Amino acid sequence: MTPFQIYTYPDKRLKQRAKPVDNIDGALQEIIDRMAFTMYQAPGVGLAAIQVGIDKSIMVYDVTAREEKRDLHVIINPKILSCEGETISENEGCLSVPDYRADVKRAKSVLVEGFDRDGNPLRIDAEDFLAVVLQHEIDHLNGKLFIDRISRLKRELYKKRILKQLKRK
Ligand code: NI
């Protein structure tokens, strides 16, 4: 299997909003498998279809750190039903925002609803790290990056650095 290319900031494709999936077929399963492969190879703990240029509402994640015990999760058409509390997600990072980490204010817990890869409805009551991962990936599906949630000054500094790097290439 070949991994997808992961688009990085400031690629405009990352600002797209994902369209809901209305048909779970073989082609979709292939996309999911390739997304998971891409995520593990990166490596990352989560990936949204928007990051690989597919404007469908699909996310994959695996918050287990150890590779020999993988625990892949897929959510199709994820939706946050409710948020509670507040937490600072320390040193949050993103495969689409290379070489950068920042603290991000997030909800402490979220209730998420969607469908698994077989089309069965699912509901996840998540806290702390998992809650942050879900919020981060669902943000992607809404065309948002974690740097849209930090101060404008910090974002501008990052942007400057990236544009400088791109010019050098
Ligand atoms: Ni990300």
Side-chain angles (χ1 to χ4, degrees):
M1 200 180 290
T2 43
F4 281 117
Q5 182 189 348
I6 299 174
Y7 294 108
T8 56
Y9 179 85
D11 196 297
K12 286 197 171 68
R13 276 167 281 213
L14 294 167
K15 286 193 168 178
Q16 291 181 98
R17 264 170 184 278
K19 297 182 183 81
V21 171
D22 50 20
N23 188 20
I24 297 179
D25 56 11
L28 194 84
Q29 301 300 336
E30 267 174 49
I31 291 173
I32 291 168
D33 287 339
R34 217 170 140 202
M35 279 176 65
F37 183 77
T38 306
M39 174 182 77
Y40 286 121
Q41 210 198 37
V45 291
L47 189 73
I50 282 291
Q51 291 178 271
V52 296
I54 294 172
D55 65 345
K56 288 183 193 297
S57 186
I58 312 165
M59 60 165 285
V60 295
Y61 68 93
D62 185 344
V63 293
T64 59
R66 292 171 55 199
E67 207 175 313
E68 61 270 31
K69 250 189 119 185
R70 284 182 177 176
D71 187 22
L72 177 67
H73 292 267
V74 178
I75 314 179
I76 294 168
N77 299 344
K79 211 160 107 193
I80 294 178
L81 293 182
S82 62
C83 292
E84 242 176 77
E86 212 177 271
T87 187
I88 298 295
S89 156
E90 285 178 14
N91 279 318
E92 195 167 317
C94 177
L95 297 172
S96 293
V97 185
D99 309 315
Y100 190 68
R101 287 188 172 269
D103 292 353
V104 184
K105 203 194 283 178
R106 297 281 190 189
K108 184 168 169 57
S109 64
V110 288
L111 181 62
V112 170
E113 164 182 276
F115 297 89
D116 69 14
R117 65 185 300 168
D118 301 313
N120 303 307
L122 59 81
R123 221 170 225 241
I124 304 163
D125 204 347
E127 273 199 343
D128 302 316
F129 185 61
L130 178 56
V132 168
V133 171
L134 295 175
Q135 289 170 78
H136 180 116
E137 302 309 330
I138 292 170
D139 267 357
H140 275 303
L141 296 174
N142 289 317
K144 231 176 190 183
L145 296 172
F146 82 92
I147 50 172
D148 294 320
R149 295 190 179 276
I150 61 177
S151 76
R152 194 174 157 180
L153 177 67
K154 282 188 188 165
R155 188 168 53 247
E156 289 302 319
L157 286 172
Y158 176 69
K159 190 174 174 182
K160 241 188 218 169
R161 172 149 68 88
I162 285 298
L163 294 181
K164 218 189 253 172
Q165 277 176 16
L166 288 175
K167 237 185 240 167
R168 246 184 269 133
K169 276 181 194 166

